[in-house]
Amino acid sequence: MKTEDWLKNNTFHHSVFWDLLKLVKEKEKQKLTISLCIPTLNEEKTIGKEIILFKSELMHRYPLLDEIAVIDSGSRDRTCETAASYGADVYLANEILPELGDRKGKGENLWKAIYQLKGDIIVYIDADIKNIHPRFVYGLVAPLLYNQKTQYVKAFYDRPLAFSQGVRPSGGGRVTEILIRPLFSLFMPELTAIVQPLSGEYAVRREVLEALSFPIGYGVETAHIIDVYNKWGIEAFAQTDLDQRRHRNQETRDLGKMSFGILQIFFQRLQTLGMISEISQIAPVLHQFQAQDKAYERISYTIKEEERPPMIEVPAYRKLRGLDK
Amino acid sequence: MMPDKDEILSSLPAYRDAIKELREPLLANLVMVSEIPAPTFQEAERVRFLQDRFIESGLQNISTDEVGNAVGILPGKEGADRNIIVHANVDTPHPKEADHTVNVDPDCLVGLSTGFNSLGLATLITLPMLLEHLGLELQSNLVLLGTVRSIGRGDLAGLRFFLDNTTLPILAGVPVEGMQLGSQSYRAIGMVRGEITCHVPEEYNWNRFGAAGAINALNEVINAINAIPLPSRPRVSIVFGSIEGGTPFARVATDAALRLDIRSESGGLADWVRQRVRDICAEVSAITGAEVTVDFFARRQPGGIQFSDYLARWGREILEALGIEPRVAPSFSSISAFSDRDIPALRLAITRGETLKNNKERLEIAPMFSGLAQLLGVLLAIDAGYRDED
């Protein structure tokens, strides 16, 4: 499929899916269940609104969702309390598959959600979205319901960054534009058509999710894109414009850490795919510098992108889903 | 069969408990309404949202009128002869580009115009679901009305238009606002609202005695207004709402503006003060050479029902049955539009809250259930027709 054709046929605006009644009927016709997973870590300011809107609009008013779950990494604020008070199922990541240990990272929560949640489709939505709206879910689910070939639907936005003097009209996705798209351009040009490969909102069929390995840190979205692309091709993807997404802006220093984790995953995938020859041992230590008075100080962070295996290979999961019968 | 008075009052605590089960739909409606900007004269997007909700609730006669109001009717058992208007303002004083994001905490919501008046609108669109949930069916039709052009220069144009043009016989009006729960209004205060502007032209003679710019001229106006002798009865007050003018330091201001309300229990007295303000502006203009103009763009006549009227009495008793101390507050808004047309009206507020320094409003969630039970009580009382017995 040509990139232009893919862009034309697989890129949507959420407004084309406005008819929620039709969407619910389609879901019922296909006898599918849909779970929403919200990975959290200290998100008390935004989690309440997300739960209220999704529960009211997409469970009660239009029963598109069968389950709303928060998978928490050990919040120290009132995230879990707030989510539970508004009716979400709240799970602590370290209590899911405890025999496999506990890793810290968003990818860990996403991976464990596959075990914990019941849906045939899982929708992942970040918890830090200030202007949350039901479109964040139905805009991602609809391409899966209307096209059986679609496996993985990504969100994209006109991302404003919050500033003290109001909201700047656009300009987010710095890591995408500085790191990811140049890398895709070099190695996998078809993937450059995915407008925001790092967006934290996507909907995926269970068969696909359970076959993917999960980096537990910053590289999870990048790994997914590459792995789905190599296994199912570009036609497995769709993307939906969800208009604006207001969220906390990250410091450049934090984006450096994110890029460091993503680069590790990217190099590892290139090696696996034979696209680059073996590179010598990579030290998983990121060095950043800060000035203090007239001296410069080096700060080093160890960021090692560990990966969880495909869930389909986990015996407890196979048992839970009855896959060995 | 109509419920008797004691039956209505004694049911209210149970209604309040049952309403809690609809917390999420109510809050979702509140969040979604609040996050749609609706400055006066630009309310179309909010009106569309209201209409969508009316459609989803199965209301009848869903429409917008010439000025852009949203209306839908929940039919009662008796049909067209008995109609109760439940009304809330659609517009807000905040510009489109302001941050309308709402934050939801376990016990409160914070956002622009959540209290005034998104909660009123959320109440309007949740009401059909609420009645259904409680198994309540009224004899009267409920006319759910979201009115545009209400505040500032809108001057209640939407509500006035609807009341002037509807052919429905109206039993009573129930304007619903966000806060403060416990306050009820049934009488309108006479009000004249205007804006005074001072402009110093480019060719201004700065050598003229007393020449000091637009802010000084406006200050002269304010001093003179404050010196107007006002009687203690009937009561009258002049409220300076906002003031703006000038640019940075060290530059003489060429423009300044003051927005004010003249409020009075007597329409004639408000008019007298208005004329005095006009005279003052003309006088300061002549003395300072600045162009001082005044534009009175909104006017409301005093009126409404009496303290002893059935509706006012019911309002107090309903609050007391819910354990809330009633506070009677004069209305500066929609009550006058109803009273001008001899329609009894009782303004209710749904919850407690406060306006924060950043202009956002913080609304408490828990009192909302009492506020909604109060609304149900008032609707049942009007529907039961106790006025006829008075």
Side-chain angles (χ1 to χ4, degrees), chain B residues 29 55 76 161 207 237 289 311 328:
Chain B
N29 281 335
I55 291 167
F161 180 89
N207 294 320
S237 64
L311 194 51
V328 178

Side-chain angles (χ1 to χ4, degrees), chain B residues 45-125:
Chain B
E45 196 183 344
R46 259 196 194 190
V47 165
R48 261 197 308 278
F49 177 75
L50 291 188
Q51 286 184 297
D52 287 346
R53 282 299 196 235
F54 288 166
I55 291 167
E56 289 167 340
S57 299
L59 299 192
Q60 295 182 2
N61 302 86
I62 300 162
S63 59
T64 54
D65 55 26
E66 288 167 51
V67 292
N69 295 318
V71 64
I73 296 179
L74 182 65
K77 289 179 193 167
E78 279 196 10
D81 288 344
R82 297 167 62 88
N83 297 279
I84 305 169
I85 294 178
V86 184
H87 150 260
N89 295 334
V90 174
D91 48 332
T92 81
H94 305 291
K96 276 195 167 179
E97 55 274 17
D99 179 7
H100 284 72
T101 305
V102 176
N103 286 339
V104 181
D105 293 334
D107 52 0
C108 70
L109 286 94
V110 179
L112 277 183
S113 294
T114 48
F116 187 82
N117 190 18
S118 300
L119 181 53
L121 289 173
T123 300
L124 217 62
I125 54 184

